[in-house]
Amino acid sequence: MSKESKAKEPTEVTNTELVLPSHTNHYGNIFGGTLVSFMDITGGLAAMLFCNEEVVTASIEALDFKTPIKQGDVIEQKGRVLYTGKTSMVVSVEVYRVEKFTGNKDFCCEGYFIYVAIDKEGNPKPVPAVKILTESDKQNWEIGRGIKDRALERKKHEP
Amino acid sequence: MSKESKAKEPTEVTNTELVLPSHTNHYGNIFGGTLVSFMDITGGLAAMLFCNEEVVTASIEALDFKTPIKQGDVIEQKGRVLYTGKTSMVVSVEVYRVEKFTGNKDFCCEGYFIYVAIDKEGNPKPVPAVKILTESDKQNWEIGRGIKDRALERKKHEP
Amino acid sequence: MSKESKAKEPTEVTNTELVLPSHTNHYGNIFGGTLVSFMDITGGLAAMLFCNEEVVTASIEALDFKTPIKQGDVIEQKGRVLYTGKTSMVVSVEVYRVEKFTGNKDFCCEGYFIYVAIDKEGNPKPVPAVKILTESDKQNWEIGRGIKDRALERKKHEP
Amino acid sequence: MSKESKAKEPTEVTNTELVLPSHTNHYGNIFGGTLVSFMDITGGLAAMLFCNEEVVTASIEALDFKTPIKQGDVIEQKGRVLYTGKTSMVVSVEVYRVEKFTGNKDFCCEGYFIYVAIDKEGNPKPVPAVKILTESDKQNWEIGRGIKDRALERKKHEP
Amino acid sequence: MSKESKAKEPTEVTNTELVLPSHTNHYGNIFGGTLVSFMDITGGLAAMLFCNEEVVTASIEALDFKTPIKQGDVIEQKGRVLYTGKTSMVVSVEVYRVEKFTGNKDFCCEGYFIYVAIDKEGNPKPVPAVKILTESDKQNWEIGRGIKDRALERKKHEP
Amino acid sequence: MSKESKAKEPTEVTNTELVLPSHTNHYGNIFGGTLVSFMDITGGLAAMLFCNEEVVTASIEALDFKTPIKQGDVIEQKGRVLYTGKTSMVVSVEVYRVEKFTGNKDFCCEGYFIYVAIDKEGNPKPVPAVKILTESDKQNWEIGRGIKDRALERKKHEP
């Protein structure tokens, strides 16, 4: 069976959370590490459900916190597989703050995570290619490849 | 403006979670209370985003745990507003176990929650009616009304 | 040895908790899911100590939240085995808010939980009957049987 | 009103807990700090319900961990006010491991905590005396006074 | 007083953690989001103690997870302010796995975080410059400036 | 090889924490049990890294809470092995509140913990002696021995 035939449509995972006191820092905003934990779960699930394997987080790419998210806010996260290498998947996680009284959504931040599929011994396992159906899929694939390239570039400069 | 004109399409909130060691009991299954917490968040968000108000949980209706959910399992929850009274909303939350290696979904349990919209002083606030568009919306509305009736019935028998 | 001879007096488990910030929602009240978690622990312990076996939660029956419980409040829970079937136990959990400055107790909510005793393989195991000593024990047994009947009724209507 | 008339019978608070994975260290035993947290809650509640005031923990007296408590174990704690000074209360917290399959209780550890009643500004507030009804109350009062004396002794040697 | 005179020596914060079951994913390794939370605390403290102001996390720069960290492992983190702009600080957080039975330290990952000092209204506040004392301080300053430049570059490309 | 030659310099572990809402009681101060958990981790790590073995907490010695620590405060802990017996280690943990806006450190409390080194079966294992290099090491060793003696004294009086 050719690789082509195994290409899969990109998976999207949506998660909505209510920001509780146990998620906040002492300003009453969501604590940065808590938000990254939420995003890592959402991104990891998108990867896991795409490749139907166990996965581990290999890297977190640059992540900018733009709008403060407050206790009692509703946040919506969208995780999406953009690009895959042989055993790795580049996943974007977008975070929106849902304005409770209008339902409007404000973009808060976006992060890119790289996950690797693993077998029971923890060794990397091949993953399907992303099936490109729309122009937007193609743009996502390009973004994902750029991110993967930057991660490989970093690896070269490692001591 | 008539009540009719304010009727809104039922909101659905989907949440996917990975069962971590901190969610489990000593058998390695998800702890019942943790699962209800997840369902209460998902249901509360469906209610909150439907009425665009703050909400509080008024009751949890009968909830049967059918399939054990294990550490490392992926669960998908779907919260949906079925029926609304003047200030209350009946919300169903379905829980599925996503079979990681096939993507198949097994139904695990379903619960019904009643939420009440509140204003800043914590007093009940009117909520929109559910717009009935499909046969399935109608069936849901009937189920929701039945649940609301049972809750009212219980209230009568209170000491 | 006959079944009769194994009948046991109903076990009661009392738990008192202080509502900390990590238990609350963004209104400063106890979060519904947290309260159910507390009740499930208390009820499960009552079942476990009654049958001297491991137990799992089979269902949560209707549970009405009446009085809001606030951060810093003291809550007292009483779990009690009311009725037993062959392998299942119906347990009531009452929750009181203890007024700190007077010691008065306000009734907050009551829930009914059904637990099943299990062996090491997770298969159901027989449990003792509840010994009926007082008129109140008898009333509890009737309430418990009614709850068990409703749970069985729900099971019939399952798809 | 004389001081005598305000003497109160000693309060006892009982708490039963199930040791979940989130309570354990990497050996599968309860983590020491978690157990002390449980004991501090139980002891603080005994003090709070005795004096009907808010309280703060002033000191933890020597506490020996004797029997390891494992994941899935049931522990029972008994908190009891032994002795009171003008604004402080000496509370003992006993911890037992409940043997699930027999109901037998093994003594695990005992700790002594000193709490101080406070008003809204956080200043110490007088507390009732402990009413001595039995010989055992008297022995407890002596133990409590000894502990209070040792705490005062430590204070003298502070830099 | 000139800016020069306010330059401060770089602050270093060291934190050591024991990986407990509540920190792990279902493989028994530390969960990625938990590790980032630890690193964000350590980095934020280094920034806070450097500028003697409250700080918020503005961005997390690329972070590669190299060595899996297991339940029961000891990890040591070193947070260090490398470079400061007008109101922002670039902080590196290095994570080492301490081999318990030898005391050897394995490098696990390094992350760069950007923090902004804020006043009580949440507005950015000036921070001191980093005093360059050694060749290593100078190299760190260059690395930090490169990271800050990349973050500014990303900002330009934002929609 | 003689015992002497295995003597090791005392290990010190420093940990800095930010007090988040999830660490507090309902007055907005750090909850006593949370602080003891932090101290037990810091002390346990100092013991573990000193003897290069797994350790368990055997006892917590008298611990006085002097200064209230508030949400948003920075606390610094220093854990240090003072004295060792054949298989046990006496560790002091000092807690300071770091004044954010000046960097000044206020002493908050000090606790003494006794840890025992264990092998894989959980049996006690010999630990190295503490190498005495300075006058301060010697004073610490005397303090540690006094604490160990008091713990042994308690053991004699056990029922």
Side-chain angles (χ1 to χ4, degrees):
Chain A
M1 197 166 74
S2 78
K3 178 87 182 181
E4 214 75 324
S5 64
K6 291 198 301 186
K8 279 187 64 175
E9 292 185 38
T11 318
E12 193 172 282
V13 166
T14 306
N15 271 331
T16 314
E17 286 281 350
L18 179 63
V19 181
L20 296 173
S22 54
H23 301 141
T24 60
N25 61 22
H26 59 294
Y27 316 125
N29 293 341
I30 200 171
F31 168 57
T34 305
L35 183 56
V36 178
S37 294
F38 286 168
M39 295 173 77
D40 187 20
I41 290 280
T42 301
L45 286 166
M48 209 180 259
L49 298 178
F50 175 77
C51 69
N52 294 129
E53 304 287 351
E54 299 281 7
V55 307
V56 290
T57 314
S59 69
I60 298 179
E61 304 299 313
L63 198 158
D64 299 290
F65 299 105
K66 276 152 205 169
T67 323
I69 299 174
K70 303 205 85 63
Q71 183 174 310
D73 278 356
V74 176
I75 56 173
E76 192 184 283
Q77 305 165 75
K78 281 182 187 302
R80 189 184 178 90
V81 175
L82 304 183
Y83 167 92
T84 63
K86 195 161 167 268
T87 63
S88 69
M89 291 155 282
V90 178
V91 177
S92 69
V93 183
E94 293 173 1
V95 179
Y96 298 87
R97 189 181 155 279
V98 186
E99 172 45 57
K100 261 183 287 196
F101 303 112
T102 63
N104 292 342
K105 293 177 189 178
D106 300 325
F107 178 71
C108 282
C109 72
E110 180 168 41
Y112 298 95
F113 295 74
I114 302 182
Y115 298 92
V116 171
I118 53 166
D119 62 18
K120 282 186 179 167
E121 280 72 41
N123 299 318
K125 248 189 114 160
V127 296
V130 175
K131 196 180 252 172
I132 306 295
L133 297 170
T134 66
E135 189 54 31
S136 152
D137 288 350
K138 196 162 164 43
Q139 280 168 19
N140 282 335
W141 193 90
E142 295 291 354
I143 291 171
R145 193 176 58 176
I147 283 154
K148 177 74 189 184
D149 286 349
R150 273 212 299 277
L152 289 172
E153 192 66 22
R154 279 204 309 278
K155 222 166 181 173
K156 271 198 245 159
H157 295 294
E158 264 166 35
Chain B
M1 196 167 72
S2 77
K3 177 90 183 181
E4 214 75 325
S5 64
K6 288 198 303 185
K8 279 187 63 176
E9 293 184 38
T11 318
E12 193 171 283
V13 166
T14 307
N15 272 330
T16 314
E17 285 280 351
L18 178 64
V19 181
L20 296 173
S22 54
H23 302 142
T24 61
N25 60 22
H26 58 295
Y27 315 125
N29 293 341
I30 200 170
F31 167 58
T34 304
L35 183 55
V36 178
S37 294
F38 285 167
M39 295 171 78
D40 187 19
I41 289 279
T42 301
L45 286 167
M48 208 179 260
L49 298 178
F50 176 76
C51 69
N52 293 129
E53 304 287 351
E54 299 280 7
V55 307
V56 290
T57 314
S59 70
I60 298 179
E61 304 299 314
L63 197 159
D64 299 290
F65 299 104
K66 276 151 206 169
T67 323
I69 299 174
K70 304 204 86 63
Q71 183 175 311
D73 277 357
V74 176
I75 56 173
E76 192 185 284
Q77 306 164 74
K78 281 181 186 303
R80 189 183 178 90
V81 176
L82 304 183
Y83 167 93
T84 65
K86 195 161 167 268
T87 62
S88 69
M89 292 156 282
V90 178
V91 177
S92 69
V93 183
E94 294 173 1
V95 179
Y96 298 88
R97 188 180 156 282
V98 186
E99 172 43 58
K100 258 183 289 196
F101 302 112
T102 63
N104 292 343
K105 294 177 187 178
D106 299 326
F107 178 70
C108 281
C109 74
E110 180 169 41
Y112 298 95
F113 295 75
I114 302 183
Y115 298 93
V116 171
I118 54 166
D119 63 18
K120 282 188 178 164
E121 281 71 43
N123 298 317
K125 249 190 115 160
V127 296
V130 174
K131 196 180 252 172
I132 307 294
L133 297 171
T134 66
E135 189 53 33
S136 152
D137 288 350
K138 196 162 166 44
Q139 279 169 19
N140 281 336
W141 193 89
E142 293 292 353
I143 290 170
R145 194 176 56 176
I147 282 155
K148 176 75 190 182
D149 286 349
R150 273 211 300 277
L152 289 171
E153 193 65 23
R154 280 203 310 276
K155 221 168 180 170
K156 271 198 245 158
H157 295 294
E158 263 166 35
Chain C
M1 195 168 73
S2 76
K3 178 90 183 182
E4 216 75 325
S5 63
K6 289 198 302 185
K8 280 187 63 176
E9 293 183 38
T11 318
E12 193 172 282
V13 166
T14 307
N15 271 331
T16 315
E17 285 280 351
L18 178 64
V19 181
L20 296 173
S22 54
H23 301 142
T24 60
N25 61 22
H26 58 295
Y27 316 124
N29 293 341
I30 199 171
F31 168 58
T34 305
L35 183 55
V36 178
S37 294
F38 286 167
M39 295 171 78
D40 187 19
I41 289 279
T42 301
L45 286 166
M48 208 179 259
L49 298 177
F50 175 75
C51 69
N52 293 128
E53 303 288 351
E54 299 280 7
V55 306
V56 290
T57 314
S59 69
I60 299 179
E61 304 298 314
L63 198 158
D64 299 289
F65 300 104
K66 276 152 205 168
T67 323
I69 299 173
K70 303 204 84 63
Q71 183 176 310
D73 278 356
V74 175
I75 56 173
E76 191 184 283
Q77 306 165 76
K78 281 182 187 301
R80 189 184 177 89
V81 176
L82 303 182
Y83 168 92
T84 64
K86 194 161 168 269
T87 62
S88 69
M89 291 155 282
V90 178
V91 177
S92 69
V93 183
E94 294 172 1
V95 179
Y96 297 87
R97 188 180 156 281
V98 186
E99 172 45 58
K100 259 183 290 196
F101 303 112
T102 63
N104 292 343
K105 293 178 188 179
D106 301 325
F107 178 71
C108 282
C109 74
E110 180 168 41
Y112 298 95
F113 295 74
I114 302 183
Y115 298 92
V116 171
I118 54 166
D119 63 17
K120 282 189 179 164
E121 280 72 42
N123 299 317
K125 248 191 115 160
V127 297
V130 174
K131 195 180 253 171
I132 307 294
L133 297 170
T134 66
E135 189 52 33
S136 152
D137 288 350
K138 194 159 167 45
Q139 280 168 19
N140 281 335
W141 192 89
E142 293 292 354
I143 291 170
R145 193 177 57 175
I147 282 154
K148 177 75 189 182
D149 287 348
R150 273 211 300 278
L152 289 172
E153 193 64 23
R154 278 204 310 277
K155 221 168 182 171
K156 271 198 246 160
H157 295 294
E158 262 167 36
Chain D
M1 197 167 72
S2 77
K3 178 88 183 180
E4 214 76 324
S5 64
K6 289 198 301 184
K8 281 186 63 176
E9 292 183 40
T11 318
E12 192 172 282
V13 167
T14 306
N15 271 330
T16 315
E17 286 281 349
L18 178 63
V19 181
L20 295 173
S22 54
H23 301 142
T24 59
N25 60 23
H26 59 294
Y27 316 125
N29 293 341
I30 201 171
F31 168 58
T34 305
L35 182 56
V36 178
S37 294
F38 286 167
M39 295 172 76
D40 187 20
I41 289 279
T42 301
L45 286 166
M48 208 180 261
L49 298 177
F50 175 76
C51 68
N52 293 129
E53 304 288 349
E54 300 280 8
V55 306
V56 290
T57 313
S59 70
I60 299 179
E61 302 301 312
L63 198 159
D64 299 290
F65 300 105
K66 277 152 205 168
T67 324
I69 299 174
K70 303 204 85 62
Q71 184 175 309
D73 278 356
V74 175
I75 56 173
E76 192 185 283
Q77 305 165 74
K78 282 182 187 299
R80 188 184 178 90
V81 175
L82 304 183
Y83 167 92
T84 64
K86 195 161 168 267
T87 62
S88 69
M89 291 155 283
V90 178
V91 178
S92 69
V93 184
E94 293 174 2
V95 179
Y96 298 87
R97 189 180 155 280
V98 186
E99 172 46 57
K100 261 184 287 196
F101 304 112
T102 63
N104 292 342
K105 294 177 188 178
D106 299 326
F107 178 71
C108 282
C109 73
E110 179 168 42
Y112 298 95
F113 295 75
I114 301 182
Y115 298 94
V116 172
I118 54 166
D119 63 17
K120 282 188 179 165
E121 281 71 41
N123 298 318
K125 250 189 113 160
V127 296
V130 175
K131 196 180 254 174
I132 307 294
L133 298 170
T134 66
E135 189 54 32
S136 152
D137 287 349
K138 195 160 166 46
Q139 280 168 18
N140 282 335
W141 193 90
E142 294 291 353
I143 291 170
R145 193 175 58 175
I147 282 155
K148 176 74 189 184
D149 287 349
R150 273 213 300 277
L152 289 171
E153 191 65 24
R154 278 204 309 277
K155 221 167 182 172
K156 271 198 247 161
H157 294 294
E158 263 167 35
Chain E
M1 196 166 74
S2 74
K3 179 87 183 180
E4 214 74 326
S5 63
K6 290 198 300 183
K8 279 186 63 176
E9 294 184 37
T11 318
E12 192 172 280
V13 167
T14 306
N15 272 329
T16 314
E17 286 280 350
L18 179 63
V19 181
L20 295 172
S22 54
H23 302 142
T24 60
N25 61 22
H26 58 294
Y27 316 124
N29 294 341
I30 200 171
F31 168 57
T34 304
L35 182 56
V36 177
S37 295
F38 286 167
M39 293 171 78
D40 187 20
I41 289 280
T42 302
L45 286 167
M48 208 179 260
L49 298 178
F50 176 76
C51 68
N52 293 129
E53 304 288 349
E54 300 280 7
V55 306
V56 290
T57 314
S59 70
I60 298 179
E61 304 299 313
L63 198 159
D64 300 289
F65 299 106
K66 277 153 205 167
T67 324
I69 299 173
K70 303 205 86 62
Q71 184 175 308
D73 278 356
V74 176
I75 55 173
E76 192 184 284
Q77 305 164 76
K78 282 182 187 301
R80 189 184 178 89
V81 175
L82 303 183
Y83 168 93
T84 64
K86 195 163 167 265
T87 62
S88 69
M89 291 155 283
V90 178
V91 176
S92 68
V93 183
E94 294 173 0
V95 180
Y96 297 87
R97 189 180 157 281
V98 186
E99 172 46 58
K100 259 183 290 197
F101 303 112
T102 63
N104 293 343
K105 294 178 188 178
D106 300 325
F107 178 70
C108 282
C109 73
E110 179 168 41
Y112 298 95
F113 295 75
I114 302 183
Y115 298 93
V116 171
I118 53 166
D119 62 19
K120 281 187 180 167
E121 281 71 42
N123 298 317
K125 249 190 115 160
V127 296
V130 175
K131 196 180 251 172
I132 306 294
L133 298 170
T134 65
E135 188 53 32
S136 151
D137 288 349
K138 192 157 169 47
Q139 280 169 18
N140 282 335
W141 193 90
E142 293 291 353
I143 290 170
R145 192 174 60 175
I147 281 155
K148 177 74 188 182
D149 287 348
R150 274 211 299 278
L152 289 172
E153 192 65 22
R154 279 204 309 277
K155 222 167 181 172
K156 272 198 245 160
H157 295 294
E158 263 167 35
Chain F
M1 195 167 75
S2 76
K3 179 87 182 180
E4 214 76 326
S5 63
K6 288 198 302 182
K8 279 186 65 176
E9 294 184 36
T11 318
E12 192 172 282
V13 166
T14 306
N15 271 330
T16 315
E17 285 280 351
L18 179 64
V19 181
L20 295 174
S22 54
H23 302 142
T24 60
N25 61 22
H26 59 295
Y27 315 124
N29 293 341
I30 200 170
F31 168 58
T34 305
L35 183 55
V36 178
S37 294
F38 286 167
M39 294 171 79
D40 187 19
I41 289 280
T42 301
L45 286 167
M48 207 179 260
L49 298 178
F50 175 76
C51 69
N52 293 127
E53 304 287 351
E54 300 280 7
V55 306
V56 290
T57 313
S59 70
I60 298 180
E61 304 300 312
L63 197 158
D64 299 290
F65 299 105
K66 276 152 205 169
T67 323
I69 299 174
K70 303 204 85 63
Q71 183 176 310
D73 277 356
V74 176
I75 55 173
E76 192 184 284
Q77 305 164 75
K78 282 181 187 301
R80 189 185 178 91
V81 175
L82 305 183
Y83 167 93
T84 64
K86 194 160 168 270
T87 62
S88 69
M89 291 155 281
V90 179
V91 177
S92 69
V93 183
E94 294 173 1
V95 179
Y96 297 86
R97 189 180 156 281
V98 186
E99 171 47 56
K100 259 184 289 198
F101 303 112
T102 62
N104 292 343
K105 294 179 187 178
D106 300 325
F107 178 70
C108 282
C109 73
E110 180 168 41
Y112 298 95
F113 295 74
I114 302 183
Y115 298 93
V116 171
I118 53 165
D119 63 19
K120 282 187 180 167
E121 281 71 41
N123 298 317
K125 250 189 114 160
V127 296
V130 175
K131 196 181 251 174
I132 306 294
L133 298 170
T134 66
E135 188 53 33
S136 152
D137 288 349
K138 192 159 170 45
Q139 280 168 18
N140 283 334
W141 193 89
E142 294 291 353
I143 291 171
R145 192 175 60 176
I147 282 155
K148 176 74 188 182
D149 287 348
R150 274 211 299 277
L152 290 172
E153 191 65 22
R154 280 204 309 278
K155 221 166 182 174
K156 272 198 246 160
H157 294 294
E158 263 166 37

